[in-house]
Amino acid sequence: MTSQAPAQARTLTIALAGQPNVGKTTVFNMLTGLNQHVGNWPGKTVEQKTGVFEYKGYTIHLVDLPGTYSLTANSEEERIARDYILREQPDAVIVMLNAASLERTLYLLAELVMLPSPLVVGLNMVDVARQNDMVVEEHVLAAALGLPVIPVVASHNQGLEALLDAAIETALHPEGGQSISRPQLKPEHQAILERAAALLRGRLPEHYPPEWAALKVLEGDSEITALVQREAPDAWETIEAWLMEHEDTYLDIAGGRYAWIERLVRAAMRQPRAGSITLTDRVDRIATHPFWGLVVLLGVFGAIFWVTYTLALPVVNWLADGVITPLASWSSRSLSFAPPWVGGLVSDGLIGGVGMVLSFIPILVTFFAVLGFLEDVGYLARAAYVMDRFMHWMGLHGRSFLPLFLGFGCNVPGVMGTRIIEDRRARLLTILLIPLVPCTARMSVITFLAPAFFGGSAPLVVWGLVAINLLILAVLGVVVNKIAFQGTRTAFIMEIPIYHMPNPRTIALFVWNKTKAFVEGAGEVILITAVVVWWLSYWPDGNIAHSLLARIGTWVAPVGHLLGWGDWRMTVALLSSFLAKENTIATLGVLYGIEAGHSLSATIAATLSRPGALAFLTVQMLFIPCAATIAAIKQEAGGKWAAASVGLLLAISLLAGAAVFWIFTWIGW
Amino acid sequence: MPKRYPWHRIHAIAPRSHKQHHHHPLTEEGATALCQLSAGELGHIRRIRGGHTFTTRMATFGFTPGVEVEMLQNYGQGPVIVKVRGARVALGRQEARRILVERNGEMPV
C-alpha cells in the first residue's frame, strides 16, 4: 500500500486506542511480541505499554493507550489517553472496534474523530461477529465514516499487516483522507458550540483545539472546564450563562454520538434475527446464576489451586534441591580461601535470596497462566458479577473481587490489580483487605507444618485457618466500610464480554509481563532483605545463638509466651516471614539445626503444645504483609496506608493468635 | 470561581449514598425502574435518575434516553445483566433502579 520506498528509515509513532474487550491487547502483542516495554505513565499508577519494531523500512513506535470507554475526565485512564493524543500528536492513531459489539465500541471513535490526529479503524473479531450472525460490510463503514477501515482477526494474526500499512499510509498523508463524518448536535446546541469555540479560539494552550475544548466544556468535563475558567474567565462567564439556559446540552452530546453511531450501524451492519440464542447466553444461564454460578466459581477456584500445586510444587522442590542447595554448597566450598563471612554472605545471603525469588516463580507462572486464560476467555467478568452481592456487604462491588482473587496467587499483583477499581475509597479498602487473602507462600508454610503438628486432622486445620482469614477479611471490610466510609458505595457497571477462544500469545505475554513485574519489583526487596537477615543472624561471631537475631528474638519472646510458644526461635521464624512468607520454614531449619535422623517437622512438633501450634499457624496466616507487598501498597496507596496495613495486621494477628491459644487451652484440646 | 453551573447543581441534589438510593420510587411518571423488568422483557429508557457523573458514565456504556434495553438476567435481588446497543452490561441493583424504562411487553418465547 505504501507506494514510495523511503530513502532512509523513518520513525513513525502510532498510538493504539480502543475500548476494553475489543482485542486491543492482542493486536499490540501480535505486533510487538517481546519487543515491548511495560512501565507506568509518568507520575501515574496506570500501566503504559510501548513497543518498537521495524516494518517495511520504518521504525514503528507503537504506544498502547489505556483501554477506555470514552474520553471524559472521569478516570485517570481517560485523561491519559486524550492528553497523549493532544500533547504528543502521534503520526497516526489506530482505533480498534469489536465487530461483534460494533454499536457500543464505536462510542470511543465518536470522541476520537473530534481530535486532530489522523485515524485508521481496525475492525477486530469479525470471526466472532460472523459466528453470532452479524456481518459488517467494512467498505460501507469506511465510506460512511470517511476513514480507512481494515477488518482483522487479531487472535489469528489476520489483517494486521494491512492495518499497519493503512496506518503508515495515513501517517505519511494525513491530509489525503476523505472528509470525515462527525457527530452533530441539535441545531440550538450546535450554535452554542460554534459560538463557544469562537470565544475560546487563541485563548487556550496551543494543543487544545478550540472546537474540542468547547465541546468538552458543554459536556461538563471537569478538567477542561477548570482550564477554561483559568485561561479565559470572561469567555467562561458567557458560556456558563448559555449553559444555564440549556441544561440538557450534555445529554444531547451523548445522544448525538449515538445518533451518528446508529446511522453507521444501520448502513454497514446486518443484524442477527431477534431472539436468537447464542452460546454465550446458554453458558451464562449457569455461569452467572446466583447459585450455580457460585458452584462454578468454587470449582474454578479449586481447579486453579489444584493445577498450581500439582504443576508448580514439583518444580519448586526441584529448584530447591537440584539447583539452589548444590549451588550454595559449591559456592561456600569455592570461597573457602576467603574469610568465613564472605562464604556465608554469598551462599546463605545472596544465593539464599535468589533461591527464594526463584521458588516463587513456578507457582506464579502457573497461577497467572490459568488466570490469563480465564480473563481471555471472558470468565473473570462473570466471577465479578456472581460475587457482586457478597462484596456489597463490605461496601465494595464485583470489581473488587478480581484483585482479591489475584491475591490468592500472590498479594503483590493483587495490590497492583486494584487499579481496575475506579473509586478511590473502594480501591483503598480493597488494598487494606488483600493481605488477609492467604497467598501461595503462606499456604505452602501451613501445608508443610500442619501435618507435622496435627497428623491426620491437618486438612481440617488448614481449611479452618483459611476460613479464619476469610472471615476476618469479611468482618474487617464490613467494619471499615461502616465506620470509615459510612456505608457509601459507587456504581457497579461492567461489560460482560462474549465468550471467545483464548489466544495463547496473549496469555503467554500476560504471564511474562506479570512475572517480570514481580521479579523486578519484589525480587529486589526480597534479595536485600535476605542479605540483611543473614547479617543479623551472623553478626557478631557467626553463631546464630549469639546473633543479633537471637537477641531480638529473646527480647520479643514474652509475646510468644502469651500466644503459647515460649521458644524464641519460633518468634524469630515468624519475624523472618516478613521478608517472604515461606521463609518461616527456612528459618526454622537454620535455627533448629536439622540433626541426623530427625526431620525438621518432628523436632518442632516436639517443642509445642497443640494449642500453641495452632496459635502459631494462625499468627503466621494473619501476620504483617511481606516486604514486597508492603512495597506494593506504598507504591499504590502511599506510605500512610502501608503503615496502617502493617499496624492493623500486627494487631489482628496477635489478637487472633492469643484468642485461638486461650480458647483451645480452655477446651483442653 | 465559585459560580454554580448546571451539572454541579445537579450534583448537589444527586443521591450520594446507597441509603438515599431508595428514595427513587420503583415507578415514576408512568415508567418503571429497570430493576423491575424480568428476564426477557424489553423496554425503552425514559430517563436516568442521577447526577451528571452518573448520567455520563451510563451514557458511555450505551444507556441514553430512548434506547431499547433487554433484561437478560434478573433474579429479584443482586445485580442484573442487560443487553443494550448489542452489548451485555452488568449493573448493580441500585444502578438499575435509577434507570426509568417504558415496558414493551413480554417477549414472545
Side-chain angles (χ1 to χ4, degrees):
Chain A
M1 280 183 92
T2 44
S3 44
Q4 78 277 42
Q8 69 255 22
R10 254 196 77 178
T11 300
L12 293 176
T13 303
I14 297 174
L16 192 59
Q19 289 193 343
N21 300 313
V22 296
K24 190 165 69 71
T25 310
T26 310
V27 174
F28 184 78
N29 287 341
M30 284 291 179
L31 291 176
T32 59
L34 284 174
N35 298 320
Q36 54 178 266
H37 172 76
V38 184
N40 275 358
W41 290 87
K44 305 279 165 54
T45 53
V46 176
E47 196 172 77
Q48 181 192 39
K49 285 191 198 155
T50 50
V52 183
F53 58 94
E54 303 291 324
Y55 180 78
K56 294 191 179 170
Y58 294 93
T59 304
I60 309 279
H61 282 260
L62 194 65
V63 179
D64 191 22
L65 297 177
T68 58
Y69 288 100
S70 67
L71 288 182
T72 48
N74 280 343
S75 74
E76 188 112 278
E77 283 82 1
E78 292 172 330
R79 275 194 293 272
I80 287 170
R82 71 184 197 191
D83 278 355
Y84 179 82
I85 294 175
L86 285 170
R87 285 168 205 268
E88 307 299 326
Q89 300 179 348
D91 297 303
V93 178
I94 296 176
V95 190
M96 295 308 299
L97 302 178
N98 178 347
S101 179
L102 188 61
E103 200 171 338
R104 239 279 318 291
T105 52
L106 272 166
Y107 193 83
L108 183 67
L109 183 62
E111 290 228 46
L112 285 166
V113 291
M114 306 308 289
L115 292 173
S117 280
L119 302 176
V120 175
V121 176
L123 186 63
N124 195 17
M125 302 197 188
V126 284
D127 56 334
V128 180
R130 220 170 287 132
Q131 283 158 19
N132 288 278
D133 289 334
M134 291 177 262
V135 177
V136 183
E137 293 172 66
E138 65 270 2
H139 55 280
V140 180
L141 187 61
L145 273 169
L147 293 170
V149 176
I150 314 296
V152 298
V153 181
S155 54
H156 293 108
N157 206 356
Q158 288 169 15
L160 291 178
E161 280 207 6
L163 183 63
L164 218 47
D165 289 337
I168 292 170
E169 180 69 18
T170 307
L172 295 179
H173 308 284
E175 70 294 334
Q178 317 149 46
S179 64
I180 297 171
S181 158
R182 292 193 172 87
Q184 297 292 314
L185 300 178
K186 284 186 189 145
E188 67 267 30
H189 296 150
Q190 188 70 31
I192 296 177
L193 178 66
E194 279 158 24
R195 278 186 285 160
L199 278 179
L200 295 178
R201 190 154 290 124
R203 302 290 303 274
L204 300 179
E206 204 183 334
H207 55 265
Y208 292 104
E211 294 78 15
W212 180 81
L215 185 71
K216 283 290 150 190
V217 170
L218 263 54
E219 216 181 337
D221 185 291
S222 53
E223 196 184 58
I224 304 299
T225 302
L227 177 83
V228 170
Q229 285 170 337
R230 200 168 58 239
E231 299 286 328
D234 50 322
W236 166 247
E237 278 191 32
T238 319
I239 297 170
E240 191 193 19
W242 294 336
L243 284 176
M244 298 292 270
E245 285 171 40
H246 299 273
E247 289 198 2
D248 56 339
T249 318
Y250 76 94
L251 284 175
D252 182 33
I253 292 173
R257 286 183 191 132
Y258 280 116
W260 177 80
I261 289 168
E262 279 161 26
R263 273 199 307 280
L264 293 168
V265 171
R266 222 177 298 131
M269 183 156 152
R270 275 186 281 127
Q271 302 270 13
R273 290 167 289 115
S276 65
I277 292 163
T278 61
L279 175 70
T280 295
D281 293 323
R282 273 198 296 271
V283 176
D284 274 353
R285 272 186 207 153
I286 294 169
T288 59
H289 187 274
F291 176 73
W292 294 115
L294 274 181
V295 173
V296 171
L297 183 62
L298 274 176
V300 167
F301 226 70
I304 289 181
F305 293 112
W306 183 79
V307 168
T308 304
Y309 284 106
T310 41
L311 287 184
L313 276 188
V315 185
V316 172
N317 293 336
W318 173 79
L319 275 175
D321 300 339
V323 180
I324 300 303
T325 316
L327 194 66
S329 52
W330 173 80
S331 77
S332 70
R333 268 201 314 278
S334 36
L335 287 169
S336 53
F337 61 89
W341 66 268
V342 177
L345 174 66
V346 173
S347 58
D348 297 337
L350 283 175
I351 295 177
V354 171
M356 225 170 291
V357 177
L358 272 181
S359 72
F360 268 122
I361 290 175
I363 293 175
L364 284 180
V365 164
T366 329
F367 186 80
F368 286 145
V370 182
L371 208 72
F373 170 81
L374 292 173
E375 158 81 9
D376 205 36
V377 170
Y379 177 72
L380 283 189
R382 272 84 182 175
Y385 172 80
V386 167
M387 288 305 289
D388 182 63
R389 68 189 70 209
F390 303 105
M391 303 306 289
H392 271 210
W393 298 341
M394 297 180 262
L396 300 171
H397 56 60
R399 250 175 224 266
S400 288
F401 174 69
L402 299 179
L404 288 174
F405 191 54
L406 207 55
F408 278 98
C410 172
N411 286 180
V412 175
V415 170
M416 299 197 308
T418 58
R419 290 173 183 185
I420 59 160
I421 306 164
E422 304 98 346
D423 180 62
R424 186 168 159 79
R425 263 193 327 249
R427 192 166 169 224
L428 289 173
L429 178 53
T430 311
I431 287 178
L432 206 60
L433 296 180
I434 283 174
L436 286 165
V437 176
C439 61
T440 43
R442 267 175 280 177
M443 292 304 288
S444 69
V445 172
I446 62 162
T447 46
F448 176 81
L449 289 178
F453 291 140
F454 305 105
S457 34
L460 194 70
V461 170
V462 170
W463 280 112
L465 289 168
V466 173
I468 288 179
N469 265 54
L470 298 183
L471 191 74
I472 291 179
L473 187 153
V475 170
L476 184 69
V478 172
V479 169
V480 171
N481 176 50
K482 278 270 183 299
I483 293 172
F485 299 156
Q486 280 146 21
T488 51
R489 51 173 287 275
T490 48
F492 176 52
I493 315 169
M494 199 176 66
E495 190 186 353
I496 305 286
I498 296 180
Y499 289 110
H500 55 82
M501 289 301 289
N503 175 244
R505 190 160 173 160
T506 303
I507 299 171
L509 279 160
F510 175 84
V511 172
W512 168 250
N513 285 330
K514 285 268 183 288
T515 311
K516 196 162 148 242
F518 170 80
V519 172
E520 284 168 359
E524 201 179 319
V525 178
I526 293 179
L527 201 61
I528 292 170
T529 323
V531 172
V532 171
V533 169
W534 169 81
W535 181 78
L536 286 177
S537 70
Y538 186 90
W539 200 81
D541 62 1
N543 185 339
I544 194 159
H546 311 147
S547 69
L548 268 181
L549 199 60
R551 256 180 268 170
I552 297 171
T554 328
W555 186 61
V556 289
V559 180
H561 280 288
L562 278 178
L563 300 167
W565 69 85
D567 198 326
W568 63 271
R569 292 176 290 193
M570 297 303 281
T571 311
V572 169
L574 190 65
L575 285 177
S576 75
S577 77
F578 162 72
L579 155 61
K581 293 288 173 183
E582 81 281 25
N583 246 12
T584 305
I585 294 171
T587 311
L588 287 174
V590 173
L591 294 179
Y592 281 92
I594 303 153
E595 297 150 35
H598 288 84
S599 74
L600 172 62
S601 42
T603 315
I604 302 168
T607 66
L608 280 183
S609 68
R610 279 157 80 90
L614 203 57
F616 180 76
L617 294 184
T618 308
V619 178
Q620 163 77 28
M621 282 287 273
L622 293 165
F623 204 53
I624 56 174
C626 68
T629 305
I630 295 174
I633 296 176
K634 183 167 174 289
Q635 181 196 324
E636 299 294 321
K640 225 169 55 188
W641 284 89
S645 177
V646 170
L648 192 67
L649 285 158
L650 188 63
I652 288 176
S653 61
L654 295 181
L655 284 176
V660 163
F661 176 64
W662 290 108
I663 288 171
F664 282 88
T665 307
W666 183 65
I667 294 175
W669 188 58
Chain B
M1 204 79 28
K3 290 247 168 108
R4 349 169 267 166
Y5 49 104
W7 35 89
H8 278 193
R9 231 170 52 195
I10 297 166
H11 268 280
I13 57 165
R16 298 196 75 89
S17 84
H18 72 296
K19 283 168 198 140
Q20 289 167 352
H21 287 214
H22 294 293
H23 289 261
H24 290 301
L26 287 169
T27 53
E28 193 181 333
E29 306 153 11
T32 319
L34 178 61
C35 64
Q36 295 288 95
L37 261 56
S38 34
E41 272 192 297
L42 294 162
H44 283 83
I45 293 183
R46 163 86 67 85
R47 192 162 66 82
I48 291 164
R49 300 182 283 189
H52 176 258
T53 312
F54 182 69
T55 320
T56 46
R57 212 160 116 64
M58 294 306 288
T60 62
F61 279 85
F63 296 91
T64 51
V67 76
E68 187 179 62
V69 289
E70 180 187 350
M71 182 59 74
L72 291 180
Q73 200 177 82
N74 187 351
Y75 286 97
Q77 52 166 323
V80 299
I81 301 181
V82 180
K83 195 166 189 176
V84 59
R85 299 186 188 275
R88 290 168 175 76
V89 180
L91 284 179
R93 194 146 205 95
Q94 302 303 340
E95 287 70 49
R97 192 184 175 120
R98 292 165 73 172
I99 300 174
L100 275 180
V101 294
E102 286 159 25
R103 271 202 179 87
N104 285 19
E106 299 279 317
M107 266 267 291
V109 180

